[in-house]
């Protein structure tokens, strides 16, 4: 039982490049979330999903896209990377009314 | 809308107690508490649900005043390992939507 896994752990992107952050959970949770955390700050919700095929925007969705084709996977797509997207990205999953399980995070630098 | 946390930071000596508060202007379904150490993912401490149900670690206690939409986390007989940033998270509905974290409270426990 691996919990929530994220890949890659670290990535450096050039301005204008695109990439996909992967997130997989093996707990059969319906709800999954993507957060970003800037240095010294709290977590901001980017997108969330309440089940396969269902996604919705959080607080800071601009510049990102998501999809949820299976219960296990919830990839986050960055299009046209900008320096403002330099952050640590956390994926989390949960079931209704329960705690969120977080992945280890992806540290992204855009230069 | 982001919940408000107080205090922003607190310094304790080992064995001392602390209270961290979280308040929201919106009617809440649940309040979550997480602790994050530097460079790591948040770790679940406690969840308090509308109606009085609580789930969490034995050594952690918290309260949720549904009328005032306020929650407090009580840390008693603090240990060095309690150091970190404490975040409350709130959700309005019971379907995982609009989960929002507070800005965090930085707790330092000194020997």
């Amino acid at each position: 039982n691996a919990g929530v896994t994220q890949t890659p752990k670290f990535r450096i992107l050039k301005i204008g490049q695109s990439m996909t952050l992967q997130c997989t959970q093996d707990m059969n949770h319906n709800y999954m979330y993507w957060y970003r955390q800037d240095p010294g700050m709290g977590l901001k919700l980017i997108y969330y999903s309440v089940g396969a095929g269902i996604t919705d925007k959080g607080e800071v969705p601009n510049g990102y896209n998501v999809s949820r084709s299976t219960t296990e996977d919830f990839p986050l797509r960055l299009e046209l990377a900008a320096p403002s997207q330099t952050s640590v990205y956390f994926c989390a999953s949960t079931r209704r009314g329960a705690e969120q399980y977080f992945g280890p995070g992806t540290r992204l630098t855009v230069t | 809308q982001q919940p408000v946390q107080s205090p922003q930071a607190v310094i304790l000596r080992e064995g001392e107690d602390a209270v961290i508060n979280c308040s929201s202007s919106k009617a809440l379904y649940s309040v979550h508490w997480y602790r994050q150490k530097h460079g790591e993912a948040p770790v679940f401490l406690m969840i308090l649900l509308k109606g009085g149900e609580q789930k969490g670690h034995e050594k952690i206690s918290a309260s949720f005043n549904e009328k005032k939409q306020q929650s407090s986390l009580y840390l008693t007989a603090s240990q060095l390992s309690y150091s970190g940033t404490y975040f409350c998270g709130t959700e309005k509905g019971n379907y995982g939507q609009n989960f929002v974290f507070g800005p965090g409270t930085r707790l330092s426990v000194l020997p």
Side-chain angles (χ1 to χ4, degrees), chain B residues 25-40:
Chain B
S25 60
K26 306 280 188 181
L28 300 175
Y29 168 72
S30 71
V31 178
H32 297 218
W33 287 97
Y34 295 82
R35 178 172 59 216
Q36 185 179 33
K37 293 186 180 288
H38 183 69
E40 300 179 5

Side-chain angles (χ1 to χ4, degrees), chain B residues 59-79:
Chain B
K59 296 186 177 181
I60 301 287
S61 64
S63 64
F64 179 23
N65 185 324
E66 293 179 37
K67 287 185 180 179
K68 293 185 177 181
Q69 305 306 318
Q70 292 175 349
S71 178
S72 295
L73 183 71
Y74 305 97
L75 302 171
T76 57
S78 60
Q79 305 171 17

Side-chain angles (χ1 to χ4, degrees), chain A:
Chain A
N1 193 341
V4 180
T5 57
Q6 291 183 238
T7 57
K9 286 188 169 56
F10 304 93
R11 183 72 186 267
I12 298 174
L13 279 183
K14 294 190 183 302
I15 295 171
Q17 288 185 324
S18 301
M19 75 165 294
T20 298
L21 282 66
Q22 302 291 345
C23 175
T24 300
Q25 54 94 6
D26 61 0
M27 297 171 281
N28 201 33
H29 287 164
N30 282 335
Y31 305 130
M32 296 188 73
Y33 304 84
W34 273 108
Y35 298 95
R36 61 174 286 173
Q37 186 174 35
D38 298 334
M41 305 296 285
L43 297 103
K44 298 289 188 185
L45 181 64
I46 306 172
Y47 271 95
Y48 67 95
S49 169
V50 299
I54 307 169
T55 62
D56 206 349
K57 297 176 181 179
E59 298 174 79
V60 290
N62 291 343
Y64 307 94
N65 276 302
V66 293
S67 59
R68 184 100 180 268
S69 57
T70 66
T71 299
E72 294 78 19
D73 300 307
F74 190 38
L76 178 71
R77 178 80 177 163
L78 277 74
E79 304 281 1
L80 298 175
S84 61
Q85 293 178 304
T86 293
S87 191
V88 179
Y89 291 82
F90 289 104
C91 177
S93 75
T94 186
R95 51 185 168 75
R96 182 172 155 185
E99 70 268 29
Q100 295 190 20
Y101 292 80
F102 284 83
T106 294
R107 294 183 181 277
L108 176 68
T109 302
V110 182
T111 61

